[in-house]
Amino acid sequence: MKKTSYKSITLITAPGKGMAIAEQLFKKGLSMVDLHHARGCFAGGPTRKNGAPIESEQEIITCVVSAEDSNDIFGLVFDLGGLNQPNGGFMYMQSLMTSTQAVLPREKEKTT
Amino acid sequence: MSRRNLIVLTDVVLITCIVQRGLADTIVKAAREAGAQGATVYFARGTGVRERLGLLGVAVEVEKEVINVVVASDQVDYVFDRMYLAGKLDTPGMGFIYCSNLEKAATYISPALIEKLQAQSNSDSEQTEQSSAA
Amino acid sequence: METQIRFGDYIKEITVNHNEVSYKHLTPKRTVDENGQALPCQPPKVQLRTMDIYRLITPYVSVRFIEQLKAVVPLAIYMVFFQYFVLNQTVSDASIVGGGLFAVMVGLMLFMEGLKLGLMPFGETIGNTLPKKAHLWLVLTIAFLLGVGVTFAEPAIGALQIAGGIVNPEKAPYLYSLLTTYSGTLVLVVGGGVGLAAVLGTMRFIYGWSLKPLIYWSLIPTIILTMIAHLHPEVNKIIGLAWDCGGVTTGPVTVPLVLALGIGVASAVGQGNSSLSGFGIVTLASVFPILGVLILGFAVAHLVSPDQVLSAAQAAKEVAAQVTPGWHEVTPGVEIVMGVRAIVPLVIFLFGVLYLILKERMRDAGTIRYGITLAVLGMVIFNLGLTYGLAKMGDQSGSLVPGAFTQIEKMSGSPLYGPLLGVSIAVLFAWCLGFGATLAEPALNALGLTVENLTNGAFKKSLLMYAVAIGVAIGISVGVAKIIFSIPLTYILVPGYVVAVLMTYLNSEEYVNIAWDSAGVTTGPVTVPLVLAMGLGFGNAVGAIEGFGILAAASLFPIVAVLACGLYVQWKTKHLQIEDKLEGKEEFVV
């Protein structure tokens, strides 16, 4: 059995958008998606008087995909996160040494 | 899915630093001054040397802050050093820092910046052509 | 002029060398027992050099000690300087007072750390699991008992009992009896008030009630009862003590523990995570004890006549003169007993709830034991420092400041200044004391940050802090004026609280929550004993009947100040919105 390699894609975005993006990824067939909150700053952002940056809330969405799908999912997350607009966020992809393959059962397609 | 060009960043490295809660701000400030473009911080709870110190372990806080900083691969050493020194990570119990290579990254890049980069890469390729022709 | 430095040293300073060590050398190898099964990895204990131990412990201790230092030392320096330069009096027993203040700092540092490590985990665990495993009525009963228990553990409650020794039984018999014979009942009644507040606060989390009706329904009976008490000649003198008890209760123990329980209940049962769910308990915990003490005052006045109190006081004095008191009734023994008696019942109660009702084990028992030990030790040291440092210094300052405008036997050359100038100096002293002590409060800083986040920057942290500080300053100076001119406390409190209730009606819910909590936050474990002792010393020197009431005024004025700021911020944002609307309209027309 060929050993698939995996990559993880992480998106940092504004609060409120995370759940919707996670749902979209789930609909696309991904099962290994997680979401958490963080605080952070970015270059050129507001700073306090002593130089420390003013941090704001962020949501972080991480998903694990197989190597063949990785480029497509990267583009999908780029679109979903609206990264072609200013203040859209930041994303990156990492290759993983190994990963488990977790698949959640899907609802059967309803025939109308 | 439309076929269009995404601008994707390469030579990106992720530096992750785990410190005791309350100490992240000094490290974030040091990272920014060293040239990092942004930082993300979140809370976590962790174990490590705290369990092995016996009674002295109470001086190490269980709650941690995890700092993620994305830098270019030529900045890594310098930013890593600055973060390490600002956090005094050579003292036992003060934390842990590591780097991982990222395949690619993406974010919004303003059209003006794109043009400047293209102009720069055009002038670079012209220079190499000239030097190879000469 | 430039300094010269060797290039080699310069290079050494600016470069950081990386020595590479493979992580493979540092992680343990797997060990296998006889059968070939892998043994679980037991990492060996880390041996630290003395230097490492020093580097590990120093930030831990220094951060906490400096926090307490910043709260105590500026106050102490201010009072000593005032006494020395304005009143031309040296501080008597300076070394004892200095030692006492140091004990206060150390004691508070140990106590806060012990609270965080030993008692807070209980609060969180019980808060998380209790609503899942018990009926609502059991949860509310436990909240009530917790409220009673934490009141006993409050560091500042000890100050009330010490204050009892300074009151003259002939001038204010019921006040004296409440502070001495009935002192246990007093603390119990105050605790009952806090318990009732905890119950109502928890129910507020669950059902999502607004704070405003709770304020109306708790404050209006209190004001009416105060006015009735004002007319009764003897209960009259308890009003100051009653309203001061309200300010004493909400301290570093009550707020986190009761809040942890409340928030746990809210997330398990209630409407989800409202950012305002934290507020409200502090307000109620400041109002209900007042009601309780007033009712207790009426009860004592009904049961016991003033002559009985006087004869009992005489008898107690005679007995005390004949019998040598046991070691546990004299300082320093009494402080040790008070310290242990404060924490241990609360800990036993919390353990009982955890093991018997929740049937859960506490993880990390070693840290909990360490925390409880620290808390008891800290409380004992704090009580010692309280008697020898804060109460002594406050008493000294308080009894000497009136020397600025009236005759005092202890001070030669009093009055130092003319009556008008002297009184204004005394009031100014009180104003600066209140202002400085409030700005140093760490809890106020935390509240300011929360407020700035809640209102998205509309209500700046600095605005809140200065509003509260100015409110407390005005309050303390009004309280001092009350003692000098013998203005009945009712005349100050009732109109003030009526104004506060009116402004509450006009303000929006967020500002109401913030304003009423800011009063409970301000008077911390350092300011309360100091202000109490100072007030009593002041009262004795001026010849007033009792010196209570300063804390009450110091709790009233910040509420009014923050409510006024809230109205201003609301008006300002509405004004800007109207301006924008007008501008928008103009553009549309063009």
Side-chain angles (χ1 to χ4, degrees):
Chain A
M1 198 167 64
K2 193 182 105 172
K3 202 164 169 205
T4 42
S5 57
Y6 292 95
K7 311 222 188 223
S8 88
I9 298 177
T10 309
L11 168 68
I12 305 173
T13 185
K17 292 206 220 160
M19 212 55 208
I21 298 179
E23 272 184 43
Q24 288 290 328
L25 289 173
F26 184 70
K27 284 203 188 111
K28 280 285 168 187
L30 295 179
S31 298
M32 299 184 269
V33 178
D34 63 35
L35 167 69
H36 66 265
H37 291 245
R39 71 173 195 274
C41 56
F42 50 92
T47 53
R48 287 184 226 275
K49 267 182 268 178
N50 60 350
I54 294 182
E55 289 159 334
S56 55
E57 196 181 329
Q58 300 169 339
E59 280 185 4
I60 318 260
I61 304 121
T62 311
C63 57
V64 173
V65 295
S66 58
E68 309 96 54
D69 302 330
S70 59
N71 282 327
D72 295 335
I73 305 285
F74 192 88
L76 172 67
V77 174
F78 188 95
D79 292 330
L80 287 175
L83 261 62
N84 50 355
Q85 286 138 35
N87 294 332
F90 189 81
M91 69 182 292
Y92 54 84
M93 185 157 92
Q94 255 176 307
S95 43
L96 304 174
M97 267 179 72
T98 48
S99 167
T100 53
Q101 169 78 304
V103 178
L104 287 173
R106 303 276 152 176
E107 276 183 12
K108 293 214 174 67
E109 296 290 330
K110 290 208 179 94
T111 51
T112 45
Chain B
M1 212 167 11
S2 54
R3 289 269 149 226
R4 64 172 211 280
N5 287 326
L6 295 176
I7 303 226
V8 153
L9 306 170
T10 54
D11 297 330
V12 207
V13 175
L14 175 73
I15 303 179
T16 307
C17 186
I18 305 173
V19 290
Q20 292 178 49
R21 184 158 166 167
L23 303 180
D25 288 334
T26 36
I27 297 185
V28 168
K29 186 161 172 233
R32 275 188 69 142
E33 280 166 7
Q37 298 288 80
T40 299
V41 183
Y42 55 90
F43 295 127
R45 187 184 73 235
T47 60
V49 78
R50 187 178 187 269
E51 280 62 29
R52 300 170 59 188
L53 283 176
L55 184 60
L56 281 176
V58 289
V60 178
E61 171 110 43
V62 179
E63 300 283 323
K64 314 280 184 208
E65 280 181 316
V66 180
I67 306 154
N68 281 334
V69 173
V70 174
V71 294
S73 49
D74 53 357
Q75 283 180 306
V76 175
D77 286 334
Y78 185 63
V79 176
F80 188 92
D81 292 342
R82 291 279 130 231
M83 288 171 77
Y84 184 91
L85 292 172
K88 298 198 185 73
L89 294 178
D90 49 356
T91 314
M94 292 306 273
F96 190 69
I97 181 171
Y98 58 88
C99 312
S100 44
N101 282 322
L102 301 178
E103 275 214 10
K104 48 177 127 172
T107 183
Y108 172 71
I109 304 184
S110 65
L113 196 54
I114 296 176
E115 282 177 18
K116 194 165 78 146
L117 288 169
Q118 277 185 342
Q120 205 174 37
S121 69
N122 285 343
S123 70
D124 281 344
S125 54
E126 277 178 16
Q127 273 190 352
T128 45
E129 277 180 22
Q130 282 180 358
S131 57
S132 61
Chain C
M1 217 189 65
E2 301 149 337
T3 44
Q4 308 258 346
I5 179 172
R6 241 187 88 225
F7 186 64
D9 293 331
Y10 170 67
I11 292 294
K12 189 179 118 178
E13 287 303 320
I14 65 164
T15 50
V16 175
N17 281 333
H18 284 200
N19 295 331
E20 294 198 358
V21 173
S22 169
Y23 198 35
K24 292 193 250 185
H25 297 152
L26 296 174
T27 46
K29 299 285 165 270
R30 255 186 322 181
T31 50
V32 182
D33 68 3
E34 316 89 57
N35 296 336
Q37 300 274 21
L39 288 170
C41 206
Q42 297 278 13
K45 251 193 88 169
V46 171
Q47 297 294 338
L48 294 177
R49 309 168 300 171
T50 326
M51 192 56 176
D52 290 329
I53 297 179
Y54 168 72
R55 281 209 199 119
L56 186 66
I57 304 255
T58 311
Y60 178 63
V61 173
S62 66
V63 162
R64 287 152 179 82
F65 188 70
I66 288 179
E67 218 178 281
Q68 301 307 328
L69 199 84
K70 280 198 277 198
V72 174
V73 167
L75 265 179
I77 292 182
Y78 170 69
M79 295 186 88
V80 167
F81 268 33
F82 191 87
Q83 217 174 310
Y84 200 66
F85 287 118
V86 179
L87 300 174
N88 291 328
Q89 297 287 316
T90 50
V91 180
S92 56
D93 300 327
S95 43
I96 296 184
V97 171
L101 289 178
F102 183 74
V104 165
M105 285 190 274
V106 169
L108 267 182
M109 171 184 86
L110 295 174
F111 178 72
M112 299 300 280
E113 185 64 15
L115 181 71
K116 190 178 89 164
L117 289 177
L119 294 178
M120 282 313 296
F122 279 112
E124 283 152 13
T125 316
I126 294 179
N128 280 331
T129 47
L130 187 65
K132 297 178 199 156
K133 291 194 179 179
H135 293 285
L136 184 63
W137 60 266
L138 187 59
V139 174
L140 293 178
T141 315
I142 290 181
F144 180 80
L145 290 173
L146 187 69
V148 176
V150 294
T151 309
F152 277 93
E154 279 291 343
I157 281 278
L160 271 182
Q161 291 161 331
I162 294 174
I166 315 182
V167 173
N168 189 340
E170 279 156 36
K171 288 204 209 148
Y174 288 131
L175 185 59
Y176 178 80
S177 71
L178 269 188
L179 285 171
T180 42
T181 353
Y182 291 99
S183 70
T185 325
L186 179 71
V187 180
L188 205 61
V189 165
V190 171
V194 175
L196 187 61
V199 166
L200 276 179
T202 313
M203 285 169 62
R204 179 177 172 254
F205 291 157
I206 297 175
Y207 299 118
W209 295 337
S210 151
L211 186 62
K212 287 195 202 181
L214 285 173
I215 291 183
Y216 302 148
W217 285 113
S218 56
L219 209 54
I220 292 176
T222 316
I223 295 180
I224 295 177
L225 198 59
T226 309
M227 291 200 282
I228 298 176
H230 182 65
L231 300 170
H232 192 293
E234 291 302 328
V235 185
N236 195 336
K237 298 166 189 134
I238 302 185
I239 296 181
L241 173 67
W243 285 86
D244 273 3
C245 283
V248 163
T249 52
T250 44
V253 185
T254 315
V255 176
L257 268 180
V258 176
L259 221 55
L261 181 68
I263 291 182
V265 169
S267 52
V269 176
Q271 324 278 8
N273 195 15
S274 153
S275 48
L276 294 174
S277 53
F279 298 111
I281 284 192
V282 174
T283 312
L284 297 173
S286 305
V287 173
F288 284 121
I290 305 174
L291 209 53
V293 175
L294 284 173
I295 295 177
L296 179 66
F298 273 114
V300 168
H302 193 69
L303 291 171
V304 177
S305 76
D307 303 313
Q308 282 177 310
V309 173
L310 278 173
S311 50
Q314 280 288 72
K317 247 191 263 187
E318 281 162 22
V319 167
Q322 289 170 359
V323 177
T324 45
W327 71 270
H328 58 89
E329 280 162 16
V330 179
T331 74
V334 68
E335 275 87 20
I336 298 179
V337 170
M338 260 167 57
V340 173
R341 226 172 39 181
I343 307 277
V344 172
L346 179 64
V347 169
I348 295 178
F349 171 69
L350 289 171
F351 262 111
V353 168
L354 195 66
Y355 281 136
L356 298 175
I357 302 184
L358 294 181
K359 299 194 178 54
E360 278 203 17
R361 314 208 111 261
M362 202 69 216
R363 59 174 177 182
D364 211 4
T367 316
I368 306 264
R369 254 178 279 145
Y370 167 74
I372 295 175
T373 320
L374 273 191
V376 173
L377 203 62
M379 192 59 147
V380 166
I381 298 180
F382 176 78
N383 275 328
L384 283 170
L386 195 65
T387 323
Y388 290 114
L390 281 182
K392 237 191 171 82
M393 190 170 77
D395 192 39
Q396 250 181 60
S397 273
S399 44
L400 290 177
V401 165
F405 55 87
T406 51
Q407 182 101 30
I408 301 186
E409 309 101 46
K410 281 191 260 180
M411 238 166 91
S412 57
S414 61
L416 289 170
Y417 309 97
L420 190 61
L421 185 60
V423 168
S424 7
I425 286 183
V427 169
L428 192 66
F429 164 76
W431 201 93
C432 294
L433 182 71
F435 193 78
T438 313
L439 282 183
E441 282 288 344
L444 187 59
N445 216 328
L447 186 69
L449 277 173
T450 319
V451 166
E452 195 168 332
N453 286 336
L454 257 182
T455 56
N456 289 325
F459 205 137
K460 299 219 181 306
K461 176 180 99 158
S462 50
L463 177 64
L464 180 79
M465 287 187 71
Y466 283 121
V468 174
I470 290 178
V472 173
I474 295 178
I476 294 195
S477 29
V478 165
V480 164
K482 170 242 174 202
I483 298 181
I484 298 177
F485 298 116
S486 299
I487 308 171
L489 193 61
T490 326
Y491 291 173
I492 302 174
L493 289 179
V494 171
Y497 275 104
V498 166
V499 167
V501 168
L502 268 171
M503 287 173 127
T504 307
Y505 180 69
L506 293 171
N507 254 310
S508 71
E509 181 79 13
E510 301 132 14
Y511 298 121
V512 166
N513 276 303
I514 294 161
W516 286 88
D517 268 19
S518 58
V521 154
T522 50
T523 40
V526 177
T527 34
V528 164
L530 196 64
V531 170
L532 272 178
M534 193 185 78
L536 287 168
F538 213 88
N540 271 339
V542 172
I545 298 173
E546 44 94 15
F548 290 108
I550 301 186
L551 279 178
S555 302
L556 163 63
F557 286 92
I559 301 177
V560 174
V562 176
L563 282 172
C565 277
L567 284 175
Y568 166 68
V569 166
Q570 271 180 286
W571 175 86
K572 192 174 74 166
T573 37
K574 219 189 291 184
H575 194 69
L576 286 174
Q577 280 176 358
I578 294 177
E579 270 188 7
D580 289 341
K581 255 198 215 153
L582 287 175
E583 282 173 24
K585 258 191 175 160
E586 273 193 347
E587 282 189 11
F588 228 86
V589 168
V590 168

